[in-house]
């Protein structure tokens, strides 16, 4: 593809997991979160985990590839083409290319991701489009992030990287980084993966709002974000993960009460084992919408905890906290 490309940009972005979990969206098209949430971008400590995306221009019709498979061109609301189409006139104009003869194309690959691929997919797409855009980074980032939410509601976590808060205040929704990845260098997150098909996150988003506790949950997430930011200012990383663990407990209790069960028997066994470990040392756990248990632990103890948890899940992948989306190549 690249050989036929008249111009191209290549980007990389990292997947994410929530630390104050998100449940509930404005609507299924715009996917604006109904409350404040927080999250971390992650990558492999020993292995490659990322999304790589190339946006390129060819003479002819638009084409797209996802994990090396050709995609149907679609302007449906969650398709990358829906966002690309809106920017293509400006981008083609920048390179003096006739929009009747040339098209913007998409090629993206996810490597080793446990969950949170929609965030890195949307962020890698967004970062590449920003680079191609004639105004570059002068783009209104709050507006653009909200546009990218059609691909993933929590895209901001991956766009900015490290620990981020996605604030929902009044009609506004935007993400900001509160801690860089370096702040987490003394910690490893063990990604305990189960080979089971995950439920779509929409099963959570559409049901959680039915809970009689939902309004209280919305208020609590705002309070937790204030608390998390205080902890971040004082570099209290262990306490941040404690807060996240309690949030996981609250979130899954709530979604189970409206019939959405994510934590299966195997995942519960991993959590039990972490709770036992907590009697002698420190570790915690986070479960989002996927079939993984994320287990933060001090770096000095990750090998021994990995040993202890081995056999309880299908694979344990050591993870570290990652930076935001970035450009890794371009033709201009
Ligand atoms: P996850 O926890 O991995 O985000 P979801 O079910 O929430 O799982 O989202 C998966 C969806 O995200 C995919 O079906 C696809 O539509 C979208 N997605 C994943 N990776 C990419 C990518 N690289 N580029 C664009 N969209 C992607
Ligand atoms: C359900 O947009 P996941 C949830 O905050 C939605 O991480 C995120 O996670 C919860 O589906 C969260 O990406 O695993």
């Amino acid at each position: 593809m690249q050989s036929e490309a008249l111009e191209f940009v290549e980007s990389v972005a990292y997947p994410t997991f929530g630390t104050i979990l998100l449940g509930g969206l404005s609507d299924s098209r715009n996917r604006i979160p109904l409350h404040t949430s927080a999250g971390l971008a992650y990558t492999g400590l020993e292995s490659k985990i990322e999304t790589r995306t190339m946006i390129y221009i060819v003479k002819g019709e638009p084409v797209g590839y996802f994990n090396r498979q050709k995609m149907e061109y679609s302007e449906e609301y969650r398709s990358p083409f829906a966002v690309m189409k809106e920017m293509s006139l400006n981008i083609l104009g920048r390179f003096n290319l006739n929009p009747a003869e040339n098209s913007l194309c998409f090629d993206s690959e996810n490597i080793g991701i446990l969950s949170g691929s929609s965030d890195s997919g949307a962020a890698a797409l967004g970062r590449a489009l920003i680079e191609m855009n004639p105004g570059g980074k002068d783009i209104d980032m709050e507006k653009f992030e909200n546009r990218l939410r059609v691909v993933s509601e929590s895209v901001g976590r991956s766009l900015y990287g490290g620990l981020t808060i996605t604030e929902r205040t009044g009609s506004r929704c935007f993400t900001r980084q509160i801690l860089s990845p370096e702040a987490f260098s003394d910690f490893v997150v063990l990604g305990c993966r189960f080979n089971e098909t995950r439920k779509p996150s929409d099963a959570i988003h559409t049901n959680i709002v039915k809970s009689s506790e939902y309004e209280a949950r919305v208020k609590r997430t705002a309070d937790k974000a204030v608390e998390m930011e205080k902890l971040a200012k004082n570099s209290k990383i262990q306490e941040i993960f404690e807060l996240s663990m309690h949030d996981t407990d609250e979130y899954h209790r709530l979604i189970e009460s409206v019939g959405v069960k994510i934590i299966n028997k195997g995942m519960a066994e991993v959590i039990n084992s972490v709770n036992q470990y907590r009697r002698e040392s420190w570790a915690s756990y986070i479960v989002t919408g996927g079939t993984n248990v994320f287990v933060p632990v001090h770096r000095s103890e990750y090998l021994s905890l990995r040993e202890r948890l081995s056999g309880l899940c299908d694979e344990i992948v050591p993870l570290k906290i990652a930076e935001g989306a970035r450009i890794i190549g371009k033709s201009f």
Side-chain angles (χ1 to χ4, degrees), residues 17-18 21-22 115-116 153-154 157 198 201 204-205 251 288-290:
F17 55 83
L21 298 166
L22 173 62
S115 64
E153 60 277 5
S154 38
R157 295 176 187 170
R198 62 160 293 160
S201 58
I204 297 176
H205 296 307
Y251 184 83
T288 66

